[in-house]
Amino acid sequence: AEKHSRAFLAVGFQNIYGAEVRTIKQMILSGKYGKLRRISAMGAWSRSDSYYHRNNWAGKQRAADGTAIFDSPVNNAFAHFLNLALFFAGTEETEVGHAVAMQAELVRARPEIETFDSCGIRVLTQNDCRIVVLFTHACEEEQMPELRLELDRMSIVWSQDCRVRCYDPDGKLLSDEPGTDCRVAMCEHMARRIHNDASAVIYTLQNAREHTFCVEKLHELFAVRALTPGEYMILPERDNQYAIPAITALFRKAYLENKLPSEVGAAWSSPSALQRTEA
């Protein structure tokens, strides 16, 4: 549609349009702090009956006509943060990292959904950056989404409140800077682009394709494990929130160590082999 129109199309991954995100990307590409080795991301947002029963596609694999939906934490609420990790892994200013291999531990506590409500995913990009993301909707304790980027001579932590904290190799805090309102920034960039401002940031379909590629490969290559009733709790006082005991603390440990849930002792999660995404 974009090719056959006189218009442009920009994908609304709003965090991408924040000035601090572009600053981080420039810091990585400068080479001043060495090679980007690892990226970890985590988030824990509870989602109860009202969330999963709000429409006819929540937690679905496909629509009745076979159209792919793949609704899950990694393709909905937390999609932004896998997308950010892939963007930071790109080796040029507007390039997004491409997944050449993946591992995934996918589980669902909520029995009526078809996909998963908790996941640990490892992505190996074409430039040998190792990304681990850990997201859950089956939690008691919430955790604001956060990304940690580990370079040879610096670690950078970006949190969903758009703060950026930089640390030296010994863990000493070097800087702590506030970010901008990314939704406002996104609208400003769109307005500037409409007025032919070439400096306006546009997140293109080609950029966003890499996130979609990961989601499709996730469902092609890995199975979802349905948890047994003894492995989760149901909280009636919280609109039937399903919760895997201590998952937020466990995901926090995995996030800091760039590991998957089974690698830090999650008995409810099974190890998976690293799978190539393309023949």
Side-chain angles (χ1 to χ4, degrees):
E2 183 181 33
K3 288 177 180 178
H4 289 87
S5 75
R6 297 175 59 190
F8 71 93
L9 189 150
V11 180
F13 276 118
Q14 66 265 17
N15 297 112
I16 287 290
Y17 297 87
E20 63 280 355
V21 166
R22 299 287 160 165
T23 298
I24 292 171
K25 186 68 177 277
Q26 289 163 6
M27 290 172 67
I28 296 167
L29 296 179
S30 73
K32 181 179 178 181
Y33 307 102
K35 183 178 173 60
L36 177 62
R37 302 291 180 178
R38 290 173 295 277
I39 303 174
S40 301
M42 78 156 289
W45 279 335
S46 58
R47 294 292 185 265
S48 60
D49 276 0
S50 58
Y51 179 83
Y52 282 103
H53 299 167
R54 75 194 191 284
N55 55 43
N56 64 357
W57 52 259
K60 295 288 188 182
Q61 290 264 15
R62 294 182 180 273
D65 65 358
T67 301
I69 298 173
F70 299 151
D71 180 59
S72 73
V74 81
N75 200 29
N76 197 332
F78 294 111
H80 305 272
F81 313 110
L82 172 58
N83 180 65
L84 271 178
L86 291 167
F87 175 71
F88 287 137
T91 55
E92 297 179 13
E93 188 171 355
T94 60
E95 183 186 78
V96 181
H98 178 68
V100 296
M102 298 175 69
Q103 282 175 276
E105 299 178 12
L106 314 175
V107 302
R108 62 170 168 262
R110 186 169 284 270
E112 76 268 26
I113 65 174
E114 297 173 356
T115 57
F116 52 91
D117 51 32
S118 303
C119 60
I121 301 164
R122 176 174 285 129
V123 176
L124 179 65
T125 67
Q126 81 280 16
N127 56 326
D128 201 31
C129 179
R130 291 184 173 267
I131 299 170
V132 169
V133 298
L134 304 123
F135 303 128
T136 182
H137 288 327
C139 57
E140 274 191 285
E141 181 186 357
E142 297 203 340
Q143 165 73 56
M144 179 186 294
E146 187 174 286
L147 279 84
R148 182 179 184 87
L149 300 91
E150 298 181 43
L151 293 86
D152 293 326
R153 293 183 289 279
M154 179 179 284
S155 295
I156 304 170
V157 176
W158 175 97
S159 55
Q160 201 216 359
D161 61 2
C162 297
R163 296 204 72 86
V164 177
R165 298 171 176 88
C166 297
Y167 300 86
D168 72 9
D170 296 323
K172 179 183 177 182
L173 181 65
L174 300 175
S175 62
D176 182 351
E177 299 293 336
T180 53
D181 187 322
C182 58
R183 288 180 174 84
V184 171
M186 180 172 62
C187 292
E188 289 175 344
H189 280 288
M190 294 307 97
R192 286 166 49 197
R193 179 64 176 81
I194 288 167
H195 289 279
N196 298 313
D197 182 346
S199 67
V201 171
I202 298 297
Y203 202 64
T204 66
L205 285 171
Q206 189 61 31
N207 293 147
R209 179 187 183 277
E210 297 299 345
H211 172 269
T212 299
F213 179 79
C214 282
V215 170
E216 289 191 345
K217 289 299 176 181
L218 200 61
H219 289 273
E220 176 186 325
L221 298 172
F222 303 98
V224 179
R225 178 175 181 264
L227 300 186
T228 62
E231 294 175 306
Y232 60 80
M233 306 176 291
I234 303 174
L235 309 176
E237 72 281 6
R238 291 176 55 179
D239 188 34
N240 290 329
Q241 170 67 27
Y242 282 68
I244 301 169
I247 190 171
T248 305
L250 187 141
F251 272 18
R252 182 74 184 175
K253 176 177 173 62
Y255 160 76
L256 293 173
E257 297 180 9
N258 199 249
K259 293 180 178 178
L260 296 177
S262 68
E263 296 168 349
V264 292
W268 42 261
S269 193
S270 301
S272 75
L274 190 69
Q275 301 278 354
R276 304 296 296 184
T277 59
E278 295 173 309

